[in-house]
Amino acid sequence: MEKPLTQHIRADKRPLTLKEYEQVGGYEAVRKVLKEMDPKSVTTLVKESNLRGRGGAGFGTGMKWSFVPLNAPKPKYLVANADEMEPGTFKDRILLESTPHQLIEGMIVAAFAIQADIAYVYLRWAYKTAGHAITRAIEEAKSAGYLGKNILGSGFDLEIHLHTGTGRYMCGEETALLNSLEGKRATPRAKPPFPQVSGLFGRPTIVNNVETFCCLPHIINNGPDWFKQLSRTGDAGTKIYGVSGKVKRPGAWELPMGVTMRELIEEHAGGMQDGLKFRGALPGGASTDFLVEQHLDVKMDYTDVAAAGSRLGTGTLIILDDHTCPVGFVRNLEHFFAQESCGFCTPCREGLPWVEKILTSIDAGEGREEDLQLLNFHTKYLGPGNTFCALAPGAMEPLQSALKYFREDFERHIQDKECSYRGKEVSAVH
Amino acid sequence: MLTAAEKHEIDKAISLVPVRKAAGIEALKVVQDHRRWVSDESLRDVAAYMEMSPEELDSVATFYNMIFRRPVGRHVILLCDSISCWVMGYENIRMHLTKQLGIAYGETTADGRYTLLPNCCLGTCDCAPALMIDHDLYRNLTIDQLDEILKKYE
């Protein structure tokens, strides 16, 4: 099984030096695009590879790039979204800490395709080890002539800067991230204009996820057909999947796109902890709909997870077991979303704290019959089309699916005026 | 008054962006690195240096979780309270910490040694529960490790 993105990660996770990275074929893709290709043909190749954005939305990467006007005057910007903060998501951390040169190489390829001359890595503040690794890798790449002016004599210039974030979930949203890079509050921008035309400082800008960038050198080196055959489904490539929660071996693994949830949990994560049963999972971070037992054989790609009523999102499963309260689980999620709402649009700012309060009272045994209707109401009015960005609709995904699949738990809390899970948790912490 | 060292670091941040104001958050972080938190006086000094009004800079400062506009202790404990850590029982860690230190979220111990804050997902969910103290990450936490860990931070 091929694992292009993680094959060179050492057991101790120490990043490869430039020399070590070159010895395993590193920066070959940069040589190839700069010496043998033109920007348009790079974009065409990436389009043909069917690479879809790994940040969660799954938009076609080549398609995204193709909206950048190539003849626009400089500067043009490229941004690596490394602000990993979706609860339950820990996949980009691995790539950032252990394969920084792969990220930089991918960024050079992308920058060439859109003819960007300035790039930023927007890094989550908490990722200190990653910050050191990237700083060092940028320095090494600069001294070797992969960054700077006239890279490898091609006439193409690119500088990459590390920008460390200051902590806000909203910064993961593409346009909010750009506002943050401009030193402003990270509130989302109206689209259009799209960032490809008017992004950072009003210039054409592309924002891609870390894992997306890391796919690029391999697509350039091995071609689109190779990339497609890595997958088991129509959505190309490998994917870094993860599992957290009460399984025997939580972790993250690079696997062919389209492995099933059952394989992830049973084979890779070692199954549920003893005495616990699987009840459901968020397939791709906090802002995705629950999948339950009937979905265990769903292929974890963009298309099939969507057909099952959820989203692949970041591909990192969060497991709900049968000794953990679904109401408390969702309350925890909605607390996060309510806290992290940027406050810019009213439904999100007012609605999410309301949802959190209702869930807190149900969890505490103080719920009323009409609360379930109120929660349903919010899933509609904070849903797609009613808010400025995707934060509140994302927050409603686990709630609406919990109300569907775990309705009897909500009802029992209200009827019994208590949570029957209290004290039942098999806690990992003693 | 900003110190020469602070100004030097802020100038470096300004050199990386095309608009001076864009380095406002970086400037706040520089000051916070040196002084642990951003007082009203510090904020006014940074705003003047960045050629911004204090109100404009404060609107940014108060938006971000990691700019401290109130005093914090010598060490800041950031306890992950997001979903995977919740499932894995972070609340037991919280109860132990609040009991040991005698403080709730947002408070600082009387000796000024620790401030305890809740924090969103630290991106290490396969090793939950997790917390950070200053720049150090601790994972797969159990209660019996906590006292040893805390001892390292004077």
Side-chain angles (χ1 to χ4, degrees):
Chain A
M1 192 164 55
E2 288 180 278
K3 300 183 175 188
L5 275 63
T6 56
Q7 61 189 335
H8 300 301
I9 294 182
R10 294 186 247 250
D12 66 2
K13 309 287 190 319
R14 261 185 319 117
L16 268 59
T17 62
L18 177 72
K19 209 168 216 169
E20 290 167 331
Y21 184 64
E22 285 176 325
Q23 277 163 4
V24 294
Y27 290 103
E28 281 304 314
V30 165
R31 282 176 209 284
K32 190 166 171 191
V33 297
L34 293 184
K35 295 193 168 162
E36 299 167 25
M37 296 176 79
D38 60 72
K40 267 201 177 130
S41 59
V42 177
T43 301
T44 306
L45 192 83
V46 172
K47 261 191 201 166
E48 284 169 5
S49 79
N50 202 12
L51 171 64
R52 297 176 66 169
R54 301 297 197 238
F59 194 79
T61 304
M63 180 64 84
K64 192 178 200 179
W65 295 355
S66 68
F67 300 125
V68 174
L70 279 179
N71 52 1
K74 292 188 171 176
K76 279 190 270 184
Y77 294 101
L78 180 77
V79 181
N81 187 345
D83 196 44
E84 185 164 71
M85 197 172 163
E86 178 74 25
T89 301
F90 51 101
K91 66 176 185 73
D92 292 336
R93 182 196 274 272
I94 299 163
L95 296 170
L96 290 160
E97 289 181 353
S98 300
T99 66
H101 277 295
Q102 184 173 241
L103 169 66
I104 290 169
E105 184 173 17
M107 289 178 74
I108 300 170
V109 169
F112 179 74
I114 64 160
Q115 291 290 292
D117 50 337
I118 303 174
Y120 294 94
V121 178
Y122 191 106
L123 180 71
R124 177 91 194 274
W125 63 269
Y127 286 12
K128 307 288 181 193
T129 308
H132 296 307
I134 292 163
T135 304
R136 182 174 163 191
I138 290 174
E139 283 311 314
E140 284 181 325
K142 233 192 258 178
S143 16
Y146 294 120
L147 292 173
K149 297 272 177 215
N150 190 21
I151 298 169
L152 304 178
S154 65
F156 177 67
D157 306 335
L158 176 68
E159 47 185 279
I160 298 185
H161 305 295
L162 175 64
H163 178 97
T164 308
T166 319
R168 219 40 217 265
Y169 178 59
M170 273 310 300
C171 298
E173 200 273 344
E174 179 171 274
T175 60
L177 182 151
L178 297 177
N179 275 340
S180 175
L181 264 178
E182 290 183 11
K184 299 172 182 159
R185 292 164 75 94
T187 52
R189 295 178 180 176
K191 291 188 270 194
F194 287 89
Q196 290 97 322
V197 178
S198 176
L200 188 59
F201 302 109
R203 313 296 315 168
T205 304
I206 284 288
V207 183
N208 283 141
N209 170 262
V210 168
E211 189 183 347
T212 310
F213 281 117
C214 289
C215 292
L216 295 171
H218 308 287
I219 293 171
I220 298 295
N221 290 333
N222 304 308
D225 291 332
W226 168 86
F227 190 68
K228 284 190 220 167
Q229 63 81 33
L230 291 173
S231 161
R232 290 193 198 164
T233 72
D235 293 336
T238 60
K239 177 79 193 77
I240 300 187
Y241 293 102
V243 178
S244 68
K246 288 181 180 167
V247 290
K248 287 198 177 114
R249 291 192 307 270
W253 312 273
E254 184 183 10
L255 297 166
M257 179 72 83
V259 297
T260 65
M261 199 154 72
R262 189 187 299 280
E263 283 174 87
L264 282 173
I265 297 167
E266 290 176 8
E267 289 174 31
H268 300 284
M272 299 298 294
Q273 285 182 11
D274 291 334
L276 297 181
K277 285 203 185 85
F278 172 87
R279 261 200 104 190
L282 304 179
S287 58
T288 56
D289 282 272
F290 277 100
L291 294 181
V292 292
E293 204 167 358
Q294 73 198 64
H295 303 118
L296 278 169
D297 294 311
V298 167
K299 291 193 172 82
M300 291 278 291
D301 71 357
Y302 299 97
T303 315
D304 286 28
V305 178
S310 186
R311 291 187 305 117
L312 177 63
T314 57
T316 40
L317 291 168
I318 311 161
I319 307 289
L320 171 70
D321 60 80
D322 66 335
H323 285 221
T324 298
C325 175
V327 177
F329 191 106
V330 177
R331 193 209 68 82
N332 176 280
L333 297 172
E334 299 308 330
H335 169 74
F336 166 81
F337 288 116
Q339 291 268 305
E340 289 300 317
S341 168
C342 75
F344 183 67
C345 78
T346 310
C348 182
R349 182 184 65 239
E350 304 294 326
L352 288 174
W354 192 358
V355 166
E356 187 197 344
K357 274 184 199 161
I358 296 169
L359 289 168
T360 303
S361 28
I362 296 177
D363 191 32
E366 291 160 6
R368 306 164 306 171
E369 294 288 338
E370 58 267 37
D371 284 344
L372 293 185
Q373 262 172 316
L374 259 180
L375 289 174
N376 268 331
F377 164 91
H378 279 89
T379 61
K380 304 226 161 36
Y381 285 89
L382 296 186
N386 293 319
T387 58
F388 203 82
C389 82
L391 187 142
M396 291 303 102
E397 290 180 24
L399 176 62
Q400 69 195 11
S401 46
L403 287 170
K404 182 170 154 193
Y405 295 122
F406 312 121
R407 193 167 190 92
E408 72 278 17
D409 284 288
F410 286 84
E411 288 168 350
R412 209 167 54 235
H413 276 73
I414 293 171
Q415 279 155 16
D416 299 352
K417 301 196 185 309
E418 64 174 7
C419 171
S420 59
Y421 291 87
R422 294 248 192 279
K424 201 175 162 191
E425 299 97 340
V426 177
S427 177
V429 182
H430 302 287
Chain B
M1 277 284 286
L2 298 176
T3 65
E6 287 168 339
K7 281 182 185 167
H8 178 75
E9 286 172 47
I10 294 171
D11 288 343
K12 200 182 152 206
I14 292 170
S15 76
L16 297 179
V17 282
V19 184
R20 191 177 182 89
K21 272 208 281 204
I25 305 169
E26 290 309 296
L28 290 166
K29 279 155 75 174
V30 166
V31 167
Q32 182 166 293
D33 278 347
H34 286 270
R35 311 175 186 194
R36 280 194 261 151
W37 69 294
V38 180
S39 67
D40 289 350
E41 195 194 342
S42 305
L43 184 105
R44 279 194 292 272
D45 291 342
V46 176
Y49 195 70
M50 299 310 292
E51 296 165 12
M52 295 167 81
S53 71
E55 291 77 11
E56 187 182 8
L57 187 64
D58 204 16
S59 79
V60 175
T62 54
F63 185 86
Y64 291 96
N65 301 336
M66 296 310 292
I67 299 291
F68 303 140
R69 285 286 280 114
R70 279 190 276 173
V72 293
R74 293 195 294 283
H75 304 289
V76 179
I77 304 171
L78 299 162
L79 179 61
C80 177
D81 67 354
S82 290
I83 188 64
S84 304
C85 285
W86 179 81
V87 170
M88 299 309 284
Y90 93 87
E91 281 180 335
N92 296 330
I93 305 281
R94 176 177 63 85
M95 285 188 281
H96 184 84
L97 283 174
T98 51
K99 207 173 108 193
Q100 282 299 106
L101 302 175
I103 50 171
Y105 279 154
E107 293 178 352
T108 302
T109 51
D111 58 1
R113 191 167 166 192
Y114 306 107
T115 297
L116 179 65
L117 295 173
N119 198 81
C120 298
C121 185
L122 288 169
T124 185
C125 320
D126 53 338
C127 303
L131 60 73
M132 280 178 84
I133 303 183
D134 302 337
H135 290 188
D136 307 326
L137 177 66
Y138 295 93
R139 0 189 185 197
N140 292 316
L141 285 171
T142 57
I143 283 174
D144 36 302
Q145 300 165 345
L146 287 175
D147 296 345
E148 280 305 307
I149 293 172
L150 289 173
K151 265 189 215 159
K152 292 190 215 166
Y153 299 88
E154 271 310 318

